[in-house]
Amino acid sequence: EAGVAQSPRYKIIEKRQSVAFWCNPISGHATLYWYQQILGQGPKLLIQFQNNGVVDDSQLPKDRFSAERLKGVDSTLKIQPAKLEDSAVYLCASSLFGASQNTEAFFGQGTRLTVV
Amino acid sequence: DAKTTQPNSMESNEEEPVHLPCNHSTISGTDYIHWYRQLPSQGPEYVIHGLTSNVNNRMASLAIAEDRKSSTLILHRATLRDAAVYYCILRDRGQGAQKLVFGQGTRLTINP
């Protein structure tokens, strides 16, 4: 089974520039998560999709971050404009949907963003 | 989200058992206990989960206290590849899509 695919793996941009990350979840997985992981910290949930609807985006800085999941499959996360504090690894994860808690999440390898 | 407390770091030796503790005194009756781990430069990966009874799988065992206010992840025979950050997470088994909220985790070092 193919895993969660993310691109690019690495990105370096200057502050105030914009950047976009792409995620292709495991086929058939209705739930998709985006996380931000700053060096030395645990992953922080930015946004969670159920199919193409947003379930939770309470931690997403909406003045500069946006995310979409068209047709309930692939997703993109955008930052515009970027700040120095946005330097982090951005992780995408997916899982099957269900009320049962037996649904493990599968993570991609992440995109390491450096803002200079 | 119900909170978990884990030690910041632990150290063990190769081929010895490792017991990683997690306190979750505010756990509700509908919360499952999940464990994930994150190897260096990798995304997190699922390890194990349970509700009330102890659980075993090919990676680890999960021992859950009778009052469910604490749990322990057990690696029976640690290898160098088990060096990672281990996260204990509570997930509500209520209906609807469930969040997966990470804390700081325990950084496990394995000595050769």
Side-chain angles (χ1 to χ4, degrees):
Chain A
E1 166 178 273
V4 176
Q6 288 190 248
S7 66
R9 285 296 313 278
Y10 305 93
K11 190 75 176 177
I12 301 174
I13 62 172
E14 295 183 350
K15 60 183 179 184
R16 292 187 287 274
Q17 285 188 323
S18 62
V19 64
F21 312 123
W22 174 80
C23 173
N24 180 229
I26 293 173
S27 177
H29 281 195
T31 304
L32 187 147
Y33 311 83
W34 280 103
Y35 290 85
Q36 178 193 60
Q37 186 170 26
I38 293 172
L39 188 64
Q41 299 182 15
K44 171 187 167 185
L45 179 65
L46 292 176
I47 189 167
Q48 179 178 341
F49 290 95
Q50 194 59 41
N51 295 308
N52 60 347
V54 175
V55 172
D56 187 310
D57 63 356
S58 57
Q59 300 266 56
L60 188 72
K62 298 180 186 63
D63 57 335
R64 298 184 301 105
F65 286 64
S66 64
E68 61 180 6
R69 189 181 184 197
L70 298 176
K71 301 181 181 179
V73 183
D74 292 6
S75 178
T76 56
L77 176 69
K78 296 179 182 177
I79 308 175
Q80 183 180 7
K83 293 185 176 181
L84 295 176
E85 65 252 36
D86 298 332
S87 294
V89 175
Y90 290 84
L91 294 160
C92 179
S94 70
S95 68
L96 290 168
F97 171 71
S100 165
Q101 289 310 293
N102 294 336
T103 52
E104 65 179 277
F106 295 83
F107 284 78
Q109 290 205 295
T111 296
R112 181 176 298 278
L113 173 67
T114 302
V115 182
V116 298
Chain B
D1 303 305
K3 185 174 174 58
T4 62
T5 304
Q6 300 177 252
N8 288 333
S9 62
M10 290 186 63
E11 198 169 328
S12 186
N13 298 319
E14 200 174 10
E15 298 187 5
E16 290 185 355
V18 180
H19 291 232
L20 296 162
C22 181
N23 287 320
H24 28 77
S25 58
T26 60
I27 191 170
S28 75
T30 56
D31 284 335
Y32 276 77
I33 302 158
H34 286 242
W35 284 81
Y36 280 73
R37 73 178 186 180
Q38 188 171 21
L39 303 172
S41 300
Q42 301 286 325
E45 64 175 347
Y46 168 83
V47 177
I48 200 167
H49 78 279
L51 183 62
T52 56
S53 305
N54 295 344
V55 184
N56 300 297
N57 66 20
R58 63 175 179 80
M59 290 181 71
S61 296
L62 176 60
I64 301 172
E66 200 168 327
D67 63 5
R68 301 206 329 122
K69 293 185 177 183
S70 65
S71 61
T72 303
L73 180 71
I74 303 166
L75 307 179
H76 294 286
R77 197 161 170 267
T79 70
L80 295 177
R81 288 177 295 181
D82 292 320
V85 179
Y86 287 77
Y87 297 96
C88 171
I89 300 167
L90 300 183
R91 300 190 79 187
D92 193 329
R93 66 175 173 173
Q95 292 200 2
Q98 304 304 314
K99 291 195 294 186
L100 185 60
V101 178
F102 289 80
Q104 288 293 98
T106 296
R107 181 173 300 276
L108 176 64
T109 301
I110 304 296
N111 300 314

